[in-house]
Amino acid sequence: MSLIEEGSDMELSGIRVIKYVVDYNNFATGLVGNDLALARYADVLLMKAEALLRNNRSAEALMLVNELRLKRGASEWSDLTLSALLDERSRELFWEAHRRLDLLRFGRYLDEWQQKPADTDNRALLFPIPLSQIGNQNYQQNPLY
């Protein structure tokens, strides 16, 4: 018997962060019966909606976002802004390692949120280039490092 059986009350109740439950029945053998999604159709729809919205094609972008919202049982929107799209990405892609890049792309990474105060240190936006790579004459260290 597995720790969490597929379809059990434990798997189906409450909020869970794990979107792809581990197949404990076959975990030791390495022959697990489930896959890990690296790219999801929902992410593709939201990327396309962002591109359309940034190119002043908000009606088309809104259709894509509403298509996704309806599949999730959420109400349709009548308007779409970049801020609303960023929020929708945070809900749809929760715990899938997209948030930092989304906040950088939307220019909101240095903003205040939850327990994090607003930041003015631009070093948070760029990582330093490793010293072993700086030896390449084509590279220059990122500013502030």
Side-chain angles (χ1 to χ4, degrees), residues 96-123:
E96 294 185 34
H98 291 272
R99 190 66 175 163
R100 181 180 188 275
L101 291 177
D102 286 349
L103 289 170
L104 287 169
R105 193 172 61 256
F106 281 77
R108 304 264 308 273
Y109 189 74
L110 297 178
D111 292 358
E112 175 182 351
W113 70 80
Q114 294 169 346
Q115 302 300 315
K116 178 197 165 289
D119 197 351
T120 58
D121 187 357
N122 287 334
R123 287 182 293 178

Short mmCIF file of all heavy atoms in Angstrom, two decimals, residues 96-123:
data_model
loop_
_atom_site.label_atom_id
_atom_site.label_comp_id
_atom_site.label_asym_id
_atom_site.label_seq_id
_atom_site.Cartn_x
_atom_site.Cartn_y
_atom_site.Cartn_z
N GLU A 96 5.82 26.70 -9.45
CA GLU A 96 6.43 26.13 -10.65
C GLU A 96 7.67 26.91 -11.08
O GLU A 96 8.13 26.78 -12.21
CB GLU A 96 5.40 26.08 -11.79
CG GLU A 96 4.27 25.11 -11.50
CD GLU A 96 3.31 24.96 -12.65
OE1 GLU A 96 3.74 25.03 -13.82
OE2 GLU A 96 2.11 24.78 -12.38
N ALA A 97 8.21 27.73 -10.19
CA ALA A 97 9.48 28.43 -10.40
C ALA A 97 9.46 29.45 -11.53
O ALA A 97 10.43 29.61 -12.26
CB ALA A 97 10.63 27.43 -10.59
N HIS A 98 8.34 30.16 -11.69
CA HIS A 98 8.25 31.20 -12.70
C HIS A 98 8.26 32.61 -12.10
O HIS A 98 8.48 33.58 -12.81
CB HIS A 98 6.94 31.06 -13.50
CG HIS A 98 6.88 29.87 -14.38
ND1 HIS A 98 7.35 29.87 -15.67
CD2 HIS A 98 6.42 28.62 -14.16
CE1 HIS A 98 7.18 28.68 -16.20
NE2 HIS A 98 6.61 27.90 -15.30
N ARG A 99 7.99 32.71 -10.82
CA ARG A 99 7.68 34.01 -10.23
C ARG A 99 8.81 35.03 -10.33
O ARG A 99 8.57 36.20 -10.66
CB ARG A 99 7.26 33.82 -8.77
CG ARG A 99 6.70 35.06 -8.13
CD ARG A 99 5.41 35.46 -8.76
NE ARG A 99 4.84 36.59 -8.04
CZ ARG A 99 3.90 37.35 -8.53
NH1 ARG A 99 3.39 37.12 -9.71
NH2 ARG A 99 3.43 38.36 -7.84
N ARG A 100 10.04 34.66 -10.04
CA ARG A 100 11.14 35.63 -10.06
C ARG A 100 11.29 36.23 -11.44
O ARG A 100 11.38 37.45 -11.60
CB ARG A 100 12.47 34.99 -9.62
CG ARG A 100 13.61 36.01 -9.62
CD ARG A 100 14.94 35.40 -9.19
NE ARG A 100 15.93 36.43 -9.04
CZ ARG A 100 16.67 36.92 -10.06
NH1 ARG A 100 16.50 36.46 -11.28
NH2 ARG A 100 17.55 37.87 -9.85
N LEU A 101 11.32 35.39 -12.47
CA LEU A 101 11.48 35.91 -13.83
C LEU A 101 10.27 36.75 -14.24
O LEU A 101 10.42 37.75 -14.96
CB LEU A 101 11.70 34.77 -14.81
CG LEU A 101 13.05 34.05 -14.67
CD1 LEU A 101 13.14 32.89 -15.64
CD2 LEU A 101 14.20 35.02 -14.88
N ASP A 102 9.08 36.36 -13.81
CA ASP A 102 7.89 37.17 -14.11
C ASP A 102 8.02 38.55 -13.48
O ASP A 102 7.76 39.57 -14.13
CB ASP A 102 6.62 36.49 -13.59
CG ASP A 102 6.20 35.29 -14.43
OD1 ASP A 102 6.76 35.09 -15.53
OD2 ASP A 102 5.31 34.54 -13.97
N LEU A 103 8.40 38.60 -12.21
CA LEU A 103 8.54 39.89 -11.53
C LEU A 103 9.62 40.75 -12.18
O LEU A 103 9.45 41.96 -12.31
CB LEU A 103 8.84 39.68 -10.05
CG LEU A 103 7.68 39.14 -9.21
CD1 LEU A 103 8.16 38.75 -7.82
CD2 LEU A 103 6.54 40.14 -9.15
N LEU A 104 10.71 40.14 -12.61
CA LEU A 104 11.75 40.89 -13.32
C LEU A 104 11.21 41.44 -14.64
O LEU A 104 11.40 42.62 -14.96
CB LEU A 104 12.97 40.00 -13.60
CG LEU A 104 13.85 39.66 -12.40
CD1 LEU A 104 14.84 38.57 -12.77
CD2 LEU A 104 14.55 40.90 -11.89
N ARG A 105 10.53 40.61 -15.39
CA ARG A 105 10.03 41.01 -16.71
C ARG A 105 8.98 42.12 -16.60
O ARG A 105 8.92 43.00 -17.44
CB ARG A 105 9.46 39.79 -17.44
CG ARG A 105 9.20 40.00 -18.89
CD ARG A 105 8.81 38.72 -19.61
NE ARG A 105 7.60 38.12 -19.11
CZ ARG A 105 7.55 37.04 -18.32
NH1 ARG A 105 8.65 36.43 -17.96
NH2 ARG A 105 6.40 36.56 -17.91
N PHE A 106 8.16 42.07 -15.56
CA PHE A 106 7.11 43.07 -15.37
C PHE A 106 7.62 44.30 -14.60
O PHE A 106 6.85 45.21 -14.32
CB PHE A 106 5.92 42.45 -14.63
CG PHE A 106 5.03 41.62 -15.49
CD1 PHE A 106 5.40 40.34 -15.88
CD2 PHE A 106 3.80 42.12 -15.93
CE1 PHE A 106 4.57 39.56 -16.68
CE2 PHE A 106 2.97 41.35 -16.73
CZ PHE A 106 3.36 40.07 -17.11
N GLY A 107 8.91 44.32 -14.25
CA GLY A 107 9.49 45.45 -13.55
C GLY A 107 9.03 45.61 -12.12
O GLY A 107 9.01 46.71 -11.58
N ARG A 108 8.69 44.50 -11.47
CA ARG A 108 8.13 44.55 -10.12
C ARG A 108 8.98 43.82 -9.08
O ARG A 108 8.57 43.70 -7.93
CB ARG A 108 6.72 43.93 -10.13
CG ARG A 108 5.74 44.56 -11.10
CD ARG A 108 4.85 45.59 -10.49
NE ARG A 108 4.17 45.17 -9.30
CZ ARG A 108 3.00 44.52 -9.29
NH1 ARG A 108 2.36 44.24 -10.38
NH2 ARG A 108 2.46 44.18 -8.13
N TYR A 109 10.16 43.34 -9.46
CA TYR A 109 10.95 42.53 -8.54
C TYR A 109 11.43 43.31 -7.32
O TYR A 109 11.56 42.75 -6.24
CB TYR A 109 12.15 41.91 -9.28
CG TYR A 109 12.88 40.90 -8.44
CD1 TYR A 109 12.34 39.64 -8.21
CD2 TYR A 109 14.10 41.19 -7.85
CE1 TYR A 109 12.99 38.70 -7.43
CE2 TYR A 109 14.76 40.26 -7.07
CZ TYR A 109 14.21 39.02 -6.87
OH TYR A 109 14.85 38.09 -6.09
N LEU A 110 11.69 44.59 -7.47
CA LEU A 110 12.19 45.37 -6.35
C LEU A 110 11.07 45.95 -5.48
O LEU A 110 11.34 46.57 -4.46
CB LEU A 110 13.08 46.51 -6.86
CG LEU A 110 14.35 46.07 -7.60
CD1 LEU A 110 15.12 47.27 -8.11
CD2 LEU A 110 15.23 45.19 -6.74
N ASP A 111 9.80 45.72 -5.86
CA ASP A 111 8.66 46.21 -5.09
C ASP A 111 8.57 45.51 -3.73
O ASP A 111 9.15 44.44 -3.53
CB ASP A 111 7.35 45.97 -5.83
CG ASP A 111 7.22 46.83 -7.08
OD1 ASP A 111 8.14 47.63 -7.36
OD2 ASP A 111 6.22 46.66 -7.80
N GLU A 112 7.78 46.09 -2.85
CA GLU A 112 7.50 45.46 -1.56
C GLU A 112 6.42 44.40 -1.75
O GLU A 112 5.48 44.57 -2.52
CB GLU A 112 6.98 46.54 -0.61
CG GLU A 112 6.54 46.02 0.74
CD GLU A 112 5.99 47.13 1.62
OE1 GLU A 112 6.12 48.31 1.27
OE2 GLU A 112 5.44 46.79 2.67
N TRP A 113 6.56 43.27 -1.07
CA TRP A 113 5.49 42.27 -1.02
C TRP A 113 5.66 41.44 0.23
O TRP A 113 6.75 41.26 0.73
CB TRP A 113 5.43 41.39 -2.28
CG TRP A 113 6.54 40.41 -2.48
CD1 TRP A 113 6.70 39.19 -1.89
CD2 TRP A 113 7.68 40.56 -3.33
NE1 TRP A 113 7.84 38.58 -2.32
CE2 TRP A 113 8.46 39.39 -3.21
CE3 TRP A 113 8.12 41.55 -4.18
CZ2 TRP A 113 9.65 39.21 -3.91
CZ3 TRP A 113 9.29 41.37 -4.88
CH2 TRP A 113 10.03 40.21 -4.74
N GLN A 114 4.54 40.95 0.76
CA GLN A 114 4.47 40.14 1.97
C GLN A 114 5.45 40.64 3.03
O GLN A 114 5.32 41.76 3.50
CB GLN A 114 4.67 38.67 1.65
CG GLN A 114 3.54 38.12 0.82
CD GLN A 114 3.84 36.75 0.26
OE1 GLN A 114 4.97 36.29 0.26
NE2 GLN A 114 2.81 36.11 -0.23
N GLN A 115 6.45 39.86 3.38
CA GLN A 115 7.40 40.25 4.41
C GLN A 115 8.65 40.91 3.84
O GLN A 115 9.59 41.19 4.57
CB GLN A 115 7.81 39.01 5.23
CG GLN A 115 6.65 38.29 5.89
CD GLN A 115 5.90 39.18 6.85
OE1 GLN A 115 6.50 39.89 7.64
NE2 GLN A 115 4.58 39.14 6.78
N LYS A 116 8.69 41.17 2.54
CA LYS A 116 9.87 41.77 1.90
C LYS A 116 9.66 43.27 1.71
O LYS A 116 8.70 43.69 1.09
CB LYS A 116 10.10 41.12 0.53
CG LYS A 116 11.27 41.72 -0.23
CD LYS A 116 11.17 41.35 -1.69
CE LYS A 116 12.06 42.17 -2.56
NZ LYS A 116 11.66 43.55 -2.72
N PRO A 117 10.56 44.08 2.24
CA PRO A 117 10.44 45.53 2.02
C PRO A 117 10.85 45.89 0.59
O PRO A 117 11.51 45.10 -0.10
CB PRO A 117 11.42 46.13 3.03
CG PRO A 117 12.42 45.05 3.26
CD PRO A 117 11.70 43.74 3.09
N ALA A 118 10.47 47.06 0.15
CA ALA A 118 10.90 47.54 -1.16
C ALA A 118 12.42 47.61 -1.17
O ALA A 118 13.07 47.85 -0.15
CB ALA A 118 10.30 48.91 -1.45
N ASP A 119 13.00 47.37 -2.33
CA ASP A 119 14.45 47.29 -2.45
C ASP A 119 14.91 48.29 -3.51
O ASP A 119 14.23 48.52 -4.50
CB ASP A 119 14.82 45.87 -2.89
CG ASP A 119 16.28 45.54 -2.65
OD1 ASP A 119 17.06 46.45 -2.31
OD2 ASP A 119 16.64 44.37 -2.82
N THR A 120 16.07 48.88 -3.29
CA THR A 120 16.63 49.79 -4.29
C THR A 120 17.96 49.26 -4.82
O THR A 120 18.58 49.89 -5.66
CB THR A 120 16.85 51.19 -3.70
OG1 THR A 120 17.72 51.07 -2.57
CG2 THR A 120 15.54 51.82 -3.30
N ASP A 121 18.39 48.11 -4.33
CA ASP A 121 19.67 47.53 -4.74
C ASP A 121 19.49 46.78 -6.06
O ASP A 121 18.93 45.70 -6.10
CB ASP A 121 20.19 46.59 -3.65
CG ASP A 121 21.59 46.08 -3.93
OD1 ASP A 121 22.15 46.40 -5.00
OD2 ASP A 121 22.12 45.36 -3.08
N ASN A 122 19.97 47.37 -7.12
CA ASN A 122 19.82 46.76 -8.44
C ASN A 122 20.61 45.48 -8.62
O ASN A 122 20.45 44.79 -9.63
CB ASN A 122 20.20 47.76 -9.54
CG ASN A 122 19.16 48.84 -9.70
OD1 ASN A 122 17.99 48.63 -9.38
ND2 ASN A 122 19.57 50.00 -10.17
N ARG A 123 21.46 45.14 -7.63
CA ARG A 123 22.18 43.87 -7.74
C ARG A 123 21.22 42.69 -7.66
O ARG A 123 21.56 41.59 -8.10
CB ARG A 123 23.25 43.76 -6.64
CG ARG A 123 24.44 44.65 -6.91
CD ARG A 123 25.48 44.49 -5.85
NE ARG A 123 24.92 45.01 -4.60
CZ ARG A 123 25.56 45.00 -3.45
NH1 ARG A 123 26.75 44.48 -3.35
NH2 ARG A 123 25.00 45.50 -2.38
#
